[in-house]
Amino acid sequence: FQDVHVMIFIGFGFLMTFLKRYGFSSVGVNLLLAAFGLQWGLLMQGIWDLDDGKIKVSIFKIINADFSTATVLISFGAVLGKTSPVQLLIMTILEITIFSINEHLVVEVLEANDVGASMIIHAYGAYFGLAVARVLYRPGLKNGHENDGSVYHSDLFAMIGTVFLWMFWPSFNSAIADPGFTQLTAVINTYLSLAACVLSAYAISSLVEHKGKLDMVHIQNATLAGGVAVGTCADMNIGPFGAMLIGLVAGIISTLGFKYLSPVLASKLGIQDTCGVHNLHGMPGILGGLAGIVAVALGKKTGGEAAMQAAALASSLGFALVGGAVTGLIMKLPIWGQPPDQNCFDDSIYWEV
């Protein structure tokens, strides 16, 4: 539990500090949303699981509350710098409510397997955030913004988040696995997937960049894609090869996404994804869902059904896109104090600097 907590508050918080004038908001608003979200998540998830009319709080419940918060922090990354704290609190309420419905459907109704939550957290959070970002599209930021970038020390801070997330990801993926051998399997699969993912992310980054140099954005994010992608089949008997293969592919698609897909999403589809959550959580989350379908079809998990895995992936994406679009429309109402274009990506509008 402590490891998951560190990931939510230090990992996600610092990962988003890469913007040069937005560090306070990244870490500060992250703390606000996470603290608010885990309380709301505890209630929303507890409603499905009442014990004698009461919500019983256990370590399992608070881990799951932290998980529900993770969806909001992923979506936060897609709209980072372009939203007010009040808008984000509105998003937190709606997103966690919809998340708990989808989670109940996937886990209890479909009985699909998603121990590390590639589908219900990562894919859901990413596509929810992208749908919100699309609705909140700002034509004024089409040609970029002077503060939408990093400086040397802000990238260094973001690496703190990366390293914390990277170190604790095996705990994240195994936190709600069945204790004993299954949990150990989840830890080892995640450990190997992450390691393979780092190598492929560095390799591809060096390949696609000018003169074979490394790009900090790729290193901060794509190195974590292995943890996302192995989530669904973390507790399955996929073997070290399976885990490393998933990590390898995740690192490649994530890095290529940052390099080639993000500019296209921004220019063609009007999705201004500040942190590139589509590359770290969206595509690897879908990869994780697909890997889960294949692994279950190959009989790597007793009692699993490939069709239910596919239904879970579809459900997560559907709830995310529809829920995100509706949430975006509510956030677009002019009463939440949304920052004007020229004040985007700047702390000083909300903080004493």
Side-chain angles (χ1 to χ4, degrees):
F1 161 69
Q2 200 172 5
D3 296 358
V4 173
H5 225 48
V6 168
M7 288 177 71
I8 299 287
F9 288 92
I10 303 183
F12 277 118
F14 278 95
L15 186 62
M16 294 190 268
T17 54
F18 68 93
L19 291 170
K20 53 190 162 195
R21 303 195 55 87
Y22 210 66
F24 288 1
S25 298
S26 302
V27 181
V29 176
N30 182 84
L31 175 60
L32 172 69
L33 296 181
F36 177 59
L38 62 88
Q39 296 174 69
W40 186 239
L42 203 56
L43 289 175
M44 286 295 103
Q45 289 173 311
I47 286 170
W48 295 106
D49 195 20
L50 288 172
D51 187 2
D52 194 21
K54 292 187 175 65
I55 296 174
K56 290 274 166 70
V57 181
S58 62
I59 198 82
F60 179 73
K61 287 267 179 54
I62 58 175
I63 288 174
N64 265 330
D66 271 15
F67 279 0
S68 72
T69 305
T71 59
V72 177
L73 300 181
I74 291 167
S75 303
F76 176 34
V79 295
L80 188 69
K82 297 168 293 194
T83 41
S84 72
V86 180
Q87 280 179 302
L88 292 165
L89 287 169
I90 302 293
M91 181 174 87
T92 304
I93 293 175
L94 296 165
E95 181 162 6
I96 288 181
T97 308
I98 300 167
F99 164 78
S100 67
I101 297 170
N102 179 52
E103 185 196 37
H104 180 76
L105 183 69
V106 168
V107 178
E108 305 296 335
V109 181
L110 299 174
E111 293 185 353
N113 201 72
D114 196 10
V115 69
S118 299
M119 300 184 288
I120 59 176
I121 293 178
H122 296 291
Y124 171 85
Y127 286 100
F128 193 100
L130 293 171
V132 171
R134 178 65 192 89
V135 175
L136 297 180
Y137 174 68
R138 289 169 178 256
L141 300 180
K142 187 162 80 249
N143 301 323
H145 186 289
E146 55 173 345
N147 287 332
D148 182 9
S150 62
V151 285
Y152 191 82
H153 63 257
S154 71
D155 267 338
L156 194 59
F157 264 110
M159 272 311 282
I160 296 174
T162 302
V163 173
F164 269 104
L165 287 168
W166 200 87
M167 283 164 40
F168 287 129
W169 214 292
S171 300
F172 186 92
N173 280 359
S174 64
I176 57 172
D178 300 327
F181 180 72
T182 312
Q183 199 161 31
L184 186 65
T185 305
V187 171
I188 292 168
N189 282 338
T190 310
Y191 175 89
L192 291 169
S193 175
L194 281 163
C197 174
V198 170
L199 298 186
S200 67
Y202 272 80
I204 301 295
S205 182
S206 177
L207 270 175
V208 299
E209 282 305 314
H210 186 58
K211 289 186 179 165
K213 294 183 176 182
L214 297 167
D215 184 344
M216 205 54 174
V217 176
H218 303 160
I219 305 308
Q220 283 158 3
N221 293 284
T223 50
L224 299 170
V228 175
V230 80
T232 301
C233 40
D235 65 343
M236 299 185 195
N237 188 19
I238 53 175
F241 174 72
M244 292 173 86
L245 183 66
I246 291 171
L248 183 84
V249 175
I252 294 170
I253 62 168
S254 183
T255 313
L256 293 176
F258 275 103
K259 179 73 179 166
Y260 301 111
L261 190 57
S262 282
V264 174
L265 286 182
S267 58
K268 298 286 188 289
L269 295 177
I271 299 173
Q272 297 158 331
D273 178 2
T274 313
C275 292
V277 293
H278 184 243
N279 311 307
L280 173 54
H281 300 279
M283 293 189 299
I286 290 182
L287 172 67
L290 296 173
I293 296 170
V294 173
V296 170
L298 293 174
K300 305 288 186 194
K301 181 75 179 172
T302 47
E305 276 185 67
M308 290 305 161
Q309 294 293 127
L313 181 59
S315 160
S316 301
L317 295 177
F319 271 108
L321 293 170
V322 176
V326 173
T327 301
L329 288 168
I330 295 172
M331 288 166 70
K332 211 176 167 111
L333 297 172
I335 53 178
W336 312 124
Q338 187 173 10
D341 284 358
Q342 72 269 22
N343 294 97
C344 281
F345 309 109
D346 195 343
D347 276 338
S348 58
I349 181 174
Y350 299 114
W351 298 82
E352 288 285 348
V353 178

